[in-house]
Amino acid sequence: MACATNAISLSLSSNPNSKLSSDFIPKLNRPVNVSLRASTSAELDPGRLFLSRPIGLSRRICANATPVMDQSVGERSSSVPTIVEVDLGNRSYPIYIGSGLLDQHELLQKHVHGKKVLVVTNTTIAPLYLDKVVDALTKGNPNVSVENVILPDGEKYKNMETLMKVFDKAIESRLDRRCTFVALGGGVIGDMCGFAAAAFLRGVNFIQIPTTVMAQVDSSVGGKTGINHPLGKNLIGAFYQPQCVLIDTDTLNTLPDRELASGLAEVIKYGLIRDAEFFEWQEKNMEKLMARDPDAFAYAIKRSCENKAEVVSLDEKESGLRATLNLGHTFGHAIETGFGYGEWLHGEAVAAGTVMAVDMSYRLGWIDSSIMKRVNDILQRAKLPTAPPETMTVEMFKSVMAVDKKVADGLLRLILLKGPLGNCVFTGEYDRKALDDTLSAFSKS
């Protein structure tokens, strides 16, 4: 694996012996455990990062692929969950993935350690799933009492004022350090509930129940929590891991089409940065994903969680490797901040930002034009934008990117593609003219 000053070079593509046919979608109908070990031989110092793949760690964590591949595509998945484990030593936790999991009360109840629970949700999700979650927490478990706080829905409410409503309810309900917070909703709810759990009484347990594609494949896994600031997205927060993540794929049945497409931006990301075979599967199955094929989505969620869990297990607090999961996010966060929180969904901004990152990679001579075309094509098929809003200017991009979390000692580090599909770098070593040319090509001067 290549080593360069201030750069991480990654090539973690799939096992070449595990091929996916164009019309093949593995079934998830039996319990599967995926253990992702945290050991690594990374050597860190201020100027240099060398990352080698741990001995014994497969290039793609595969959840017992042989028995899963035997299942027919037309057969309905059972309610037995697939389990992907995020291995963080004594803070490890499972990700449960499957249909009808909110009806399996024991899955949630075994992760509630005290007698009081606070469910944090929003005005959109509460009428759909709040009663079901309360039932799952209390059925056959009369000693547990459940409170709830229902927040306004939307990225524009991901701020300190809204966060205080969670603390207000927790204090009014006299919750103690053995209580559990439950995040029921999409990425905004998960981020705010997790941050509240990290801060309340200096840390209480919490559980993630993501109800959007975006949250199920990305934001609910890995312990990133926080809120936005008027000057930048997610600038205030903490790394704080949940007790578990419960992904009931049935919740996607009520997800609007625009939200569904937004989440696919993060699915596509995994293929581009580290899993070329998964990207190729997406190219062949995008229409099934857009049509909400349950088997296709179950597989896409599982494989995305495997990729995310592996990276988090190796680099929990984003000292290097985990930053690569932010492909397109530096440009995308600038769009969200500059255009106004909530005007574009997160995945829409990331999609446009990914095109910009790919364009810059091409200008640097790091990828060939075929990758640019494939990225544009798959995003268009997912009904995602491939350019920022026309109101964005070069100066708007530069001012927001200057306070990005990946800036170190005044140097803006970016995640860019380099080499064959499935390879990327996280680096501050690039020709600044390429960045200027990309910004000029996609926004006003």
Side-chain angles (χ1 to χ4, degrees), residues 142 161 176 184 213 253 290 292 294:
E161 180 182 359
D176 58 31
L184 174 63
V213 177
N253 295 336
M290 296 299 291
R292 300 172 184 256

Side-chain angles (χ1 to χ4, degrees), residues 326-348:
N326 291 312
L327 176 70
H329 284 57
T330 303
F331 297 103
H333 287 172
I335 293 170
E336 290 183 87
T337 304
F339 196 45
Y341 294 128
E343 295 299 318
W344 272 26
L345 297 177
H346 176 63
E348 294 170 338

Side-chain angles (χ1 to χ4, degrees), residues 120-131:
V120 181
T121 187
N122 63 35
T123 52
T124 300
I125 297 300
L128 298 171
Y129 301 112
L130 179 56
D131 288 346

